[in-house]
Amino acid sequence: MQYIRELAEYNGNGRAAVTFGKFDGLHRGHQMLVTKVRELGKQENINSIVCSFDMRPLWKEKGIAPELPMVREERQERVKDEVDYLIECPFTDDFRQLSPYAFLQMLKEKINVKMIVAGT
């Protein structure tokens, strides 16, 4: 697995299956998302990506200091054999203000997304 500190640094080749979330712990729901992205990656012969929203910029702005069940290094260790890429996505004010269309356009252009895996 390749770890990438922010979405702008990603330059993987080919299409991708991706899932998004805070992934501040890897509960059963997160595990199901990671498993599905891995399976789709293998079935479709595309990159499998977990994109983890790094909430620290928002928390810093709001003066919040939550205790996290899992830190970045633990997340990397837990998914290292599961997916091709783990991308941290800093939840900055600019990122937070993206319209849904702009967000999807970014995914299309930057990641070359073929499939998005989401929970219900």
Side-chain angles (χ1 to χ4, degrees), residues 90-101:
F91 207 74
T92 62
D93 193 48
D94 286 342
F95 184 80
R96 191 170 67 230
Q97 306 239 352
L98 286 174
S99 70
Y101 177 80

Side-chain angles (χ1 to χ4, degrees), residues 34-47:
V34 171
T35 297
K36 188 64 177 176
V37 162
R38 182 186 69 235
E39 289 172 354
L40 289 169
K42 287 181 180 178
Q43 288 171 5
E44 300 289 324
N45 196 29
I46 58 178
N47 293 321

Side-chain angles (χ1 to χ4, degrees), residues 11-79:
N11 19 323
N13 295 325
R15 308 226 40 206
V18 64
T19 189
F20 294 90
K22 289 191 295 186
F23 294 96
D24 53 357
L26 273 174
H27 56 69
R28 285 188 212 180
H30 289 142
Q31 291 170 18
M32 289 174 61
L33 294 172
V34 171
T35 297
K36 188 64 177 176
V37 162
R38 182 186 69 235
E39 289 172 354
L40 289 169
K42 287 181 180 178
Q43 288 171 5
E44 300 289 324
N45 196 29
I46 58 178
N47 293 321
S48 55
I49 300 174
V50 169
C51 192
S52 176
F53 295 126
D54 179 1
M55 303 304 289
R56 291 175 299 163
L58 175 64
W59 293 333
K60 184 177 180 181
E61 177 186 311
K62 303 244 183 232
I64 301 170
E67 286 195 31
L68 300 174
M70 181 185 306
V71 294
R72 179 182 314 162
E73 294 78 14
E74 291 172 300
R75 183 171 34 260
Q76 286 176 267
E77 183 64 28
R78 296 279 302 275
V79 301

